[in-house]
Amino acid sequence: MSTQNVLFDAPGPRARRRHAILTAFGFVLFAATLAAVLVKFNAQGQLTGALWQPLIDPEVWTAYVVPGLINTIKAAAVSIVSAMAFGILFGMGRLSQNGPIRWVSGIVVEFFRAVPVLLMMYFLFQLFAFNNIFVASLNSFMAVVIALTLYNGSVIAELVRSGVYGLPKGQSEAGLSIGLTASQTLRSIQLPQALTAMLPALISQVVVILKDSALGAAITYPELLQSMRDMGTAYATVIPAYILAAVVFIAINFGLTVVAGRIERRLNRRGRGPRKAGPATGVAGPGTVDAPTDGLGGRGVHTGDATSAAR
């Protein structure tokens, strides 16, 4: 039985016809909305060549677009690396057999996952500015990076936890049966498979980090959106400037999605992907220890046989 049939029933002739009608209706609605927007723009003179001319001016690109894009990529790159490290560290903490570590990790993850990113940026920016923690030119950059790291790292930690918990129990039992401890099994067997299985979700979170870097405009960080706002004000081309910023963001995010798809296919061809669930092998029986809970909705690793875990 294929995975597709397990997830949902194949649509019949009526369902396919209904889907085709809804798709056509959605396309017509989108086209009508776009036409209405263009008509409105034309009525207000937003489609005149003079407004769009600055977009092909080399000085605009060297003074606004390229510096803003570099700052966006710089903040996003540092945040992505930091969030990945934060997420893996605290995700493994939530899977720890040590109760205090599991509780602390759970509290940290749940707290920063609940706080809005923009609120954290405002708070950190004011904290850095009034206490002179960094030089003035770094205050906004560090506020953006730390806020993105804390929020997205917490989301990645949950992805790690759910990815490991979603693996077949035979994976952990096999590691325990050959003498590995629970932590060694987690690091050597479960975590690599979970990261491969979570690759699409991880790339989606990378895209979120890149897009959320635009929130730095609220604390004067000179990223792409802020640069396009400045360019629109300087050349009186606000709407074309924002449209250019949207096109650049869409192009970068689409590129990340394509790269993620290729990496996933390459890993699957090399046999690095997660194994499908099947009959559990290794240690099993009435002495099996349940996965630990941290009291915050998290589940830990399956530890196998109680006597093996005790050793």
Side-chain angles (χ1 to χ4, degrees), residues 4-172:
Q4 181 179 2
N5 290 335
V6 171
L7 295 177
F8 55 85
D9 294 332
R14 290 185 178 179
R16 288 196 296 268
R17 186 164 54 250
R18 184 168 60 251
H19 294 167
I21 293 173
L22 292 175
T23 301
F25 176 76
F27 178 78
V28 171
L29 182 61
F30 172 77
T33 303
L34 180 61
V37 171
L38 292 176
V39 169
K40 189 69 173 178
F41 278 1
N42 185 57
Q44 295 181 353
Q46 294 293 332
L47 299 181
T48 58
L51 289 178
W52 296 84
Q53 182 67 28
L55 299 185
I56 59 176
D57 186 352
E59 184 178 352
V60 168
W61 284 80
T62 56
Y64 296 99
V65 181
V66 174
L69 182 59
I70 291 175
N71 288 332
T72 292
I73 294 176
K74 182 169 62 175
V78 176
S79 300
I80 289 168
V81 174
S82 303
M84 289 291 180
F86 182 98
I88 293 175
L89 177 63
F90 281 90
M92 294 180 66
R94 296 203 71 179
L95 296 167
S96 174
Q97 300 297 305
N98 186 292
I101 294 178
R102 195 165 59 248
W103 264 92
V104 171
S105 299
I107 292 172
V108 170
V109 168
E110 294 298 331
F111 175 79
F112 287 114
R113 202 158 59 109
V115 179
V117 180
L118 186 59
L119 181 60
M120 280 194 282
M121 287 186 185
Y122 277 128
F123 173 78
L124 292 171
F125 181 69
Q126 296 295 329
L127 177 67
F128 298 156
F130 283 105
N131 293 277
N132 297 319
I133 299 178
F134 302 102
V135 296
S137 59
L138 282 179
N139 286 337
S140 58
F141 173 78
M142 294 304 300
V144 170
V145 168
I146 295 176
L148 292 177
T149 297
L150 294 177
Y151 175 78
N152 293 282
S154 299
V155 175
I156 292 174
E158 277 299 284
L159 291 176
V160 171
R161 183 197 62 79
S162 60
V164 170
Y165 183 68
L167 292 173
K169 292 183 178 179
Q171 300 293 320
S172 61

Side-chain angles (χ1 to χ4, degrees), residues 141-248:
F141 173 78
M142 294 304 300
V144 170
V145 168
I146 295 176
L148 292 177
T149 297
L150 294 177
Y151 175 78
N152 293 282
S154 299
V155 175
I156 292 174
E158 277 299 284
L159 291 176
V160 171
R161 183 197 62 79
S162 60
V164 170
Y165 183 68
L167 292 173
K169 292 183 178 179
Q171 300 293 320
S172 61
E173 292 170 350
L176 294 170
S177 68
I178 62 175
L180 297 178
T181 64
S183 60
Q184 290 173 334
T185 300
L186 174 62
R187 294 194 305 267
S188 303
I189 297 177
Q190 295 176 298
L191 186 60
Q193 295 186 71
L195 291 176
T196 303
M198 296 182 304
L199 186 60
L202 289 175
I203 296 299
S204 298
Q205 204 59 39
V206 168
V207 172
V208 170
I209 294 175
L210 182 64
K211 292 190 298 183
D212 284 352
S213 65
L215 295 174
I219 56 173
T220 69
Y221 179 63
E223 45 76 50
L224 182 61
L225 183 61
Q226 180 65 38
S227 297
M228 291 296 94
R229 179 185 298 172
D230 295 339
M231 190 271 283
T233 301
Y235 288 84
T237 58
V238 176
I239 291 179
Y242 283 142
I243 291 177
L244 177 60
V247 169
V248 173

